């Protein structure tokens, strides 16, 4: 265990951006950047586990990424398959849970089968809990939750004038994880790109120019230190927050 003196976020969500630019800078095909990106994923998982982060959500493929050239999309699918095959055993051995969020129906059947296999193998993981967002979109998530909520209303399982925010959240793909405390985006862009929308309502946002393949434990600790220095008020005054923390 490390860094007991800093306030470690319980849940970190990351938009892993900049693989293509990392490769381009080196006159390499974009796919090389994605390959190196997998190494950053591996290092980040290990670093989060060392820091005692409880939940890590990684944006691997957005609902908009289908618009990329077919070759790149196919290469990403092959890379996901390869990474799952090579990492599954070590995740399970390290007591790490891995589940997927997003609309998996659009993926090739053998990839979905592999995903389900990894989920089953790591189901009992009780240290770090990872969520991989694949064919995920924040708007899609809210919409599919709203559809499920409306069918629960129609079936009389919930009463319309008693519907709460928690009711809607219980149908989101992230229902079994707390909202992220820290949102990180690498690669220099300062946007959400339709990642978790509902869930980051009160997350601390951290943007870094570091390209995802260059993101390492030192970079992660910098983000966590930035988080640690922030005052999270959730609408209250600083004085209220201070007196509560002294109570
Ligand atoms: C993020 O890196 C990886 C995926 C979206 C799969 P990019 O591929 O978007 O890299 P840049 O933004 O082009 O550098
Ligand atoms: C966001 O990155 C999606 C992932 C990291 C998987 P993009 O590179 O697709 O985002 P935009 O298109 O620049 O907003
Ligand atoms: Mg990008």
């Amino acid at each position: 265990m490390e860094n007991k003196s800093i306030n470690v976020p319980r849940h970190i969500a990351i938009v892993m951006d900049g693989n293509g630019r990392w490769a381009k800078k080196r006159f390499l095909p974009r796919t090389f950047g994605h390959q190196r990106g997998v190494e950053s994923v591996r290092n980040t998982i290990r670093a989060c586990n060392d820091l005692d982060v409880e939940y890590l959500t990684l944006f691997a493929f957005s609902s908009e990424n289908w618009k990329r050239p077919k070759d790149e999309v196919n290469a990403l699918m092959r890379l996901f398959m390869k990474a799952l095959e090579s990492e599954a055993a070590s995740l399970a051995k390290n007591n790490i849970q891995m589940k997927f969020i997003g609309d998996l129906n659009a993926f090739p059947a053998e990839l979905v089968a592999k995903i389900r296999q990894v989920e089953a193998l790591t189901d009992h993981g009780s240290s770090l809990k990872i969520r991989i967002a694949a064919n995920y979109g924040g708007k899609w998530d809210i919409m599919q939750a709203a559809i499920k909520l409306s069918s629960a209303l129609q079936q009389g399982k919930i009463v319309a004038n008693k519907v709460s925010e928690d009711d809607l959240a219980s149908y989101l793909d992230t229902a079994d994880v707390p909202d992220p405390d820290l949102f990180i985006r690498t690669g220099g862009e300062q946007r959400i790109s339709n990642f978790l929308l509902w869930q980051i309502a009160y997350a601390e946002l951290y943007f870094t120019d570091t390209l995802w393949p260059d993101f390492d434990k030192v970079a992660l600790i910098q983000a966590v230190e930035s988080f640690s220095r922030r005052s999270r008020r959730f609408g209250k005054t600083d004085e209220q927050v201070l007196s509560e923390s002294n109570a």
Side-chain angles (χ1 to χ4, degrees):
M1 254 175 281
E2 302 169 40
N3 289 290
K4 273 289 150 201
S5 57
I6 64 169
N7 178 20
V8 173
R10 195 170 169 215
H11 182 176
I12 300 180
I14 310 182
V15 178
M16 310 182 287
D17 196 21
N19 294 349
R21 279 162 287 162
W22 183 92
K24 201 175 169 190
K25 267 190 0 191
R26 290 163 179 78
F27 306 101
L28 294 167
R30 294 177 57 84
T31 334
F32 277 70
H34 296 314
Q35 275 166 17
R36 286 297 292 262
V38 174
E39 284 177 41
S40 289
V41 170
R42 204 179 292 126
N43 293 336
T44 301
I45 291 173
R46 194 177 304 132
C48 283
N49 212 17
D50 290 349
L51 288 169
D52 286 336
V53 171
E54 283 179 66
Y55 298 92
L56 174 67
T57 301
L58 299 172
F59 206 5
F61 193 86
S62 77
S63 43
E64 288 72 33
N65 287 146
W66 297 108
K67 295 177 195 160
R68 294 199 176 192
K70 208 167 173 12
D71 280 356
E72 181 168 346
V73 171
N74 288 341
L76 281 167
M77 297 301 141
R78 281 196 298 273
L79 196 58
F80 293 152
M81 191 74 186
K82 221 174 96 190
L84 289 172
E85 274 164 0
S86 66
E87 299 307 314
S90 126
L91 291 171
K93 186 173 133 254
N94 288 296
N95 202 20
I96 294 170
Q97 184 190 73
M98 182 176 276
K99 289 188 190 294
F100 284 70
I101 58 170
D103 185 4
L104 299 184
N105 292 319
F107 288 125
E110 32 159 41
L111 180 57
V112 178
K114 189 81 219 169
I115 286 172
R116 296 305 178 211
Q117 199 188 332
V118 172
E119 287 182 329
L121 189 72
T122 63
D123 191 40
H124 297 292
S126 59
S127 61
L128 179 64
K129 295 184 175 65
I130 302 172
R131 297 293 178 269
I132 303 289
N135 192 22
Y136 181 87
K139 287 190 177 179
W140 166 82
D141 200 4
I142 294 170
M143 196 183 67
Q144 65 84 25
I147 292 169
K148 286 178 185 155
L149 180 71
S150 69
S151 104
L153 280 165
Q154 269 165 17
Q155 290 165 26
K157 289 182 186 159
I158 312 175
V159 187
N161 61 7
K162 292 224 169 70
V163 175
S164 67
E165 289 180 4
D166 285 347
D167 288 325
L168 183 74
S170 74
Y171 293 106
L172 292 169
D173 250 16
T174 52
D176 57 347
V177 303
D179 285 347
D181 303 291
L182 173 61
F183 169 100
I184 298 175
R185 182 174 186 139
T186 62
E189 312 293 352
Q190 303 196 352
R191 55 176 173 253
I192 309 297
S193 297
N194 196 21
F195 192 26
L196 309 162
L197 295 177
W198 174 284
Q199 298 89 338
I200 60 163
Y202 250 112
E204 295 298 325
L205 307 181
Y206 180 87
F207 298 98
T208 170
D209 288 338
T210 302
L211 302 172
W212 178 249
D214 292 326
F215 193 82
D216 58 9
K217 187 171 185 175
V218 172
L220 179 79
I221 290 174
Q222 271 170 10
V224 169
E225 280 172 348
S226 167
F227 170 84
S228 190
R229 286 191 297 270
R230 305 199 191 172
S231 166
R232 302 187 81 193
R233 290 185 285 273
F234 298 101
K236 298 179 183 175
T237 67
D238 247 339
E239 289 70 22
Q240 285 175 298
V241 174
L242 204 66
S243 73
E244 281 166 17
S245 71
N246 290 336

